[in-house]
Amino acid sequence: MAGPTTAKRGATTSPSGPPPPPSGARRFRLPRPRLRRPGRRGVIIIAVLAALLGGFAAWVLYGSNWLRLESVRATGTDVLTPQEVVAAASAPLHTPLASVDTDAVERRLLARLPRLKRVEVTRSWPHTLGLEVTERTPKLLLQTNGKFVEVDSEGVRFATVARAPKGVPLLKMTVSDTPGLRRFGTGRLLRAAVAVAQDLPAAVRPEVRTVRVRSYDSITLELAGGRTVLWGSREQGAEKAKVLAALLKAARDARHFDLSVPSAPAVSGS
């Protein structure tokens, strides 16, 4: 006869927790709380409050004097002055700052001041418009009628000045009316010359006085002291720059350098 602690055959026991409900027992769940939807009156009140808030926000932005444009500030200038940039922007003072068309201000600046390469117009709440500008930098100069036209790294002629900026080479286009000129065009030859000026080693740039273009494959540099460098085309510019820097150190008395084939440079006139 089994004792009182003997388990029935096939029965399972749980180490902890309440015993499972008996077979066939029904489960009961507590009812979930239901959110009450606002009535018609509540909906009307919410709509009226939202309209009032929206109207107040619109009045603050466009009707009040709290957020009006009172000052315009320009930064990033070098040759130009901040006053010139602000004047060219023609921003509508004493109007709501939110209504200022920043894209229109940017277009006006780029159209009126060709020296500017990029313009970023930002609102600085509550009363200021910021103009962050980037000026074009001359890489070459074209001389015409006693003045100098500045050409940037993109080949853009952006300004005419009475004095040549220090350290900027003069570009001389001595291209005859040849099939090569008709094929490449003056614009492409100009960009090729700018690319050569860009590729020059930093230590050599102050020595360059003139970049002379005879054809797309015949670009020559005239350095201080009467030295000349036959660069050839704009191709392999980085390699030619390294070779030129090395030759100027190794052959200090040389007068002529031929880099048209950088893997086989030539030096003469020492």
Side-chain angles (χ1 to χ4, degrees):
M1 180 174 180
T5 60
T6 304
K8 293 183 180 181
R9 181 172 299 177
T12 58
T13 59
S14 142
S16 63
S23 177
R26 298 180 60 184
R27 297 177 180 269
F28 293 93
R29 294 182 180 178
L30 294 175
R32 294 183 180 179
R34 294 184 179 181
L35 297 177
R36 295 184 61 185
R37 295 184 180 180
R40 183 178 179 183
R41 183 178 179 182
V43 171
I44 294 175
I45 293 174
I46 292 174
V48 170
L49 289 176
L52 289 175
L53 288 174
F56 178 74
W59 176 79
V60 169
L61 286 173
Y62 297 99
S64 73
N65 292 324
W66 299 346
L67 301 176
R68 298 262 167 172
L69 176 59
E70 302 297 341
S71 65
V72 183
R73 297 177 182 174
T75 57
T77 57
D78 185 18
V79 177
L80 297 171
T81 65
Q83 293 77 15
E84 289 175 311
V85 175
V86 170
S90 297
L93 292 174
H94 311 303
T95 60
L97 184 57
S99 68
V100 176
D101 189 340
T102 56
D103 291 336
V105 173
E106 178 183 342
R107 288 193 297 269
R108 277 198 298 274
L109 283 172
L110 293 176
R112 295 177 180 179
L113 299 175
R115 184 177 291 278
L116 297 182
K117 185 175 184 178
R118 286 186 298 273
V119 177
E120 184 177 354
V121 184
T122 57
R123 296 181 181 88
S124 182
W125 304 96
H127 303 297
T128 305
L129 193 69
L131 310 174
E132 177 66 30
V133 302
T134 302
E135 295 183 6
R136 297 182 184 273
T137 303
K139 298 300 180 183
L140 290 174
L141 300 172
L142 286 168
Q143 189 170 13
T144 175
N145 299 325
K147 294 185 178 182
F148 301 91
V149 178
E150 295 178 311
V151 182
D152 75 348
S153 59
E154 298 173 350
V156 176
R157 309 180 193 191
F158 63 90
T160 300
V161 294
R163 286 187 176 183
K166 188 177 181 180
V168 182
L170 187 64
L171 172 61
K172 292 186 178 180
M173 305 278 286
T174 56
V175 183
S176 58
D177 187 12
T178 62
L181 175 61
R182 291 190 291 271
R183 174 187 175 189
F184 294 105
T186 304
R188 187 173 177 185
L189 294 176
L190 175 61
R191 289 190 293 273
V194 171
V196 171
Q198 287 272 87
D199 288 333
L200 289 173
V204 178
R205 288 174 189 168
E207 300 292 320
V208 181
R209 299 292 182 264
T210 305
V211 177
R212 187 181 296 276
V213 180
R214 293 184 175 87
S215 69
Y216 186 82
D217 296 319
S218 181
I219 299 176
T220 302
L221 310 178
E222 298 174 2
L223 310 184
R227 296 168 296 170
T228 61
V229 178
L230 178 57
W231 194 269
S233 71
R234 61 176 290 183
E235 311 302 330
Q236 298 177 285
E239 185 177 352
K240 292 176 181 179
K242 293 179 181 179
V243 173
L244 177 59
L247 289 178
L248 289 175
K249 292 180 179 180
R252 297 182 181 273
D253 296 331
R255 307 290 293 175
H256 306 290
F257 305 85
D258 186 345
L259 304 179
S260 54
V261 182
S263 58
V267 177
S268 62
S270 55

